[in-house]
Amino acid sequence: MDRILITSAIPYINGIKHLGNLVGSQLPADLFARYNRARGREVMFLCATDEHGTPAELAAAKAGKPVDEYCAEMWQVQKDLSDGFGLSFDKFGRSSSEQNKALTQYFAGRLFEAGLIEERSETQVYSHADGRFLPDRYIEGTCPNCGYDRARGDQCENCTKQLDPTDLIDPRSAISGSTELEQRETKHLYLLQSRMRDQLRDWINSKTDWPVLTTSIAKKWLDDGDGLQDRGITRDLDWGVPVMRGTEDWPGMEGKVFYVWFDAPIEYIAAAHEWADAQGLSQEDWYRWWRTDQGAEDVRYVQFMGKDNVPFHTLSFPTTIMGTNGVGHETWKLVDYIKSFNYLNYDGGQFSTSQGRGVFMDQALSILPADYWRWWLLRNAPETSDAEFTWQSFQGAVNKDLADVLGNLVSRVTKFCRSKFGEEVPSGGVNGEAEARLINELQTRVETYTRHMEDIEIRKAASELRAIWVAGNEYLQSTAPWAAYKEDPARAAGIIRLSLNLIRLYAVLSAPFIPNASKTMLEALNADDAWPDDVAAALAHLPEGHAFTVPENLFAKITDDQRDAWVTQFAGQRA
């Protein structure tokens, strides 16, 4: 398909995210978006901040600010950091937008019409010390299934069992630690996911190309124990999307808001609405991405997320879409492929926001440019198992891959050409056996790299890209233009002409991974970024006499002293 819709799991508003959050959704989504744009496809790449719920209220209170003001400020912080890492969103929206408010209320009304929402009376935990009902995740206690003593009221992160707060043994407030908890009756709306169980199972079973990580988690939640449960979609909170049945009041739901996990995925759709509004475009312009009855039938929709988000994206959000599609004539776009990721750990343990352990996005950009981080993170993306960041591994990838292999070739070729032939592509010399071998090898490798990128096999793609860089270095070493120049300047000119074209080839292929370095290479060569389907043609793309400039060193090596200092700096207790 030539139209690609990409969404990244939307980050929560409270605080700056660490590198594990980045590589679990936004960064690989950006890689895929950049690749598809490079192939000439029409791409819509959407993300947003997830702004509703108790954590936002508490973070705002801690900061001494109204919650809407706090969220606006943190949206800007997260937007600036995403720009700093080169995340090429077409729209970075906000779940608190008017567009998401209207769409959330609209979907709720349609689901009610479909008979998939019902009102239920239930008991919820009220904390006297905190003066509020406690959301599920703000109640902690001992898991009745595995005995873990810090299980949350929505799920035990140790055994992953889905829980209700009343299931916990010895519950306490996660806000104050108080055990003065009381169960009070209240009314809430439930999304009847259980009624969609067979339809969801058939749909998931049809996705034979999905990663095992995605389907195994979905099937576990679908069928383990009592199977897929109905889900409460409203809360007794002040901050959120007010409960409405479309544009009408919902009797009995006054003063309540939709649960953050109901409105947050709908923001994917709302972000396109926000994009269209910001561009002065019409409803049809965003419908053509999301409504299959309005032009989205030829769209391939790919989602990126960490494994903890898989249940909501494979079951709850599809229930919203499938349920709505059963009412009236409209049909909304379901996801075609879900790329999920395991966790990135930090230097023998876990990243910890509360303890400040690990590298956070702002800190990363304060010590090194984005491409250094992008390369290591994508090269080590936790696709099939958890991965671990160590400073030794990071230093090795930067020094060996970026500086020694890629950066060194660019520097040697451009500087040698300037010194012997001037700042233009030299004339003279013809391709021989060495060039033919290189072209054949690169043609095969570029096709393999392309296949991995199409299949979103990120580590394999990174490995193949590095092999492409290495092949050029080996060619340069074996042909030794600095030696050839002494005996046969024309032969040296031919080697350098091909090598300058090789730099352009590298810039184009590397752009999804390291966009800033790619831009530097292309600007130095005064070159375009046409994709090199035909390697032989690509290595003759820059003609004789084409002017270029010698770029600054692309990558600086990380010293042992820098590495050791950073090990200490990021061991914990972020200021």
Side-chain angles (χ1 to χ4, degrees), residues 199-217:
Q199 189 174 341
L200 288 165
R201 184 186 295 105
D202 290 344
W203 176 66
I204 291 166
N205 286 338
S206 74
K207 303 300 183 182
T208 55
D209 61 330
W210 283 13
V212 172
L213 180 63
T214 302
T215 54
S216 62
I217 293 172

Side-chain angles (χ1 to χ4, degrees), residues 86-388:
L87 304 180
S88 57
F89 304 124
D90 290 290
K91 182 63 181 179
F92 187 65
R94 301 181 61 186
S95 72
S96 63
S97 68
E98 287 300 312
Q99 293 88 341
N100 193 45
K101 175 182 173 182
L103 275 166
T104 298
Q105 293 167 340
Y106 170 81
F107 277 108
R110 293 303 240 180
L111 290 166
F112 178 77
E113 290 177 42
L116 289 172
I117 289 180
E118 73 176 20
E119 182 181 305
R120 294 180 182 176
S121 293
E122 62 181 54
T123 56
Q124 278 197 342
V125 176
Y126 184 86
S127 169
H128 290 277
D130 300 304
R132 63 190 302 156
F133 283 100
L134 295 179
D136 298 350
R137 62 177 296 177
Y138 278 85
I139 305 163
E140 289 183 346
T142 300
C143 175
N145 186 53
C146 72
Y148 180 60
D149 65 357
R150 293 182 62 188
R152 295 197 316 237
D154 56 352
Q155 184 182 6
C156 175
E157 63 182 24
N158 186 56
C159 70
T160 74
K161 183 175 178 62
Q162 190 174 355
L163 299 170
D164 286 318
T166 52
D167 296 331
L168 294 174
I169 301 168
D170 298 326
R172 60 189 178 276
S173 166
I175 301 171
S176 62
S178 173
T179 58
E180 289 187 70
L181 307 180
E182 173 190 332
Q183 291 189 16
R184 289 186 179 180
E185 185 170 301
T186 184
K187 291 182 179 181
H188 283 292
L189 300 179
Y190 273 71
L191 180 62
L192 305 184
Q193 299 180 142
S194 59
R195 293 188 184 177
M196 301 292 289
R197 186 176 173 186
D198 291 341
Q199 189 174 341
L200 288 165
R201 184 186 295 105
D202 290 344
W203 176 66
I204 291 166
N205 286 338
S206 74
K207 303 300 183 182
T208 55
D209 61 330
W210 283 13
V212 172
L213 180 63
T214 302
T215 54
S216 62
I217 293 172
K219 290 176 180 178
K220 180 178 181 179
W221 278 58
L222 195 62
D223 292 320
D224 272 13
D226 296 328
L228 183 64
Q229 300 297 298
D230 299 333
R231 190 83 176 168
I233 61 166
T234 54
R235 292 291 185 269
D236 291 297
L237 295 173
D238 296 323
W239 175 241
V241 175
V243 176
M244 299 276 285
R245 191 181 295 164
T247 57
E248 300 176 3
D249 291 337
W250 204 310
M253 292 294 117
E254 296 82 3
K256 299 180 188 290
V257 300
F258 285 108
Y259 180 34
V260 64
W261 258 111
F262 182 70
D263 82 78
I266 295 170
E267 169 58 23
Y268 294 142
I269 303 173
H273 192 344
E274 293 172 54
W275 163 81
D277 288 353
Q279 303 290 324
L281 301 174
S282 67
Q283 184 181 68
E284 287 71 23
D285 290 297
W286 66 270
Y287 267 9
R288 66 188 289 268
W289 289 102
W290 282 106
R291 286 275 297 270
T292 56
D293 60 322
Q294 298 281 341
E297 66 280 353
D298 64 341
V299 170
R300 183 182 184 223
Y301 177 22
V302 182
Q303 294 177 345
F304 290 79
M305 70 198 64
K307 60 185 177 183
D308 54 327
N309 283 333
V310 167
F312 300 101
H313 288 79
T314 55
L315 302 171
S316 298
F317 188 41
T319 294
T320 296
I321 299 298
M322 290 177 180
T324 300
N325 287 350
V327 181
H329 300 293
E330 70 205 55
T331 51
W332 295 85
K333 179 70 183 173
L334 274 166
V335 65
D336 294 300
Y337 189 84
I338 296 180
K339 178 70 175 181
S340 57
F341 293 87
N342 289 282
Y343 295 139
L344 177 67
N345 295 317
Y346 179 78
D347 210 8
Q350 293 182 331
F351 282 88
S352 173
T353 301
S354 60
Q355 296 175 24
R357 188 171 188 278
V359 187
F360 291 72
M361 289 173 67
D362 58 336
Q363 296 169 322
L365 293 177
S366 74
I367 61 175
L368 286 171
D371 280 356
Y372 292 61
W373 302 104
R374 288 178 65 107
W375 174 248
W376 188 94
L377 289 167
L378 291 167
R379 183 180 184 267
N380 296 277
E383 291 177 288
T384 56
S385 61
D386 289 354
E388 182 171 8

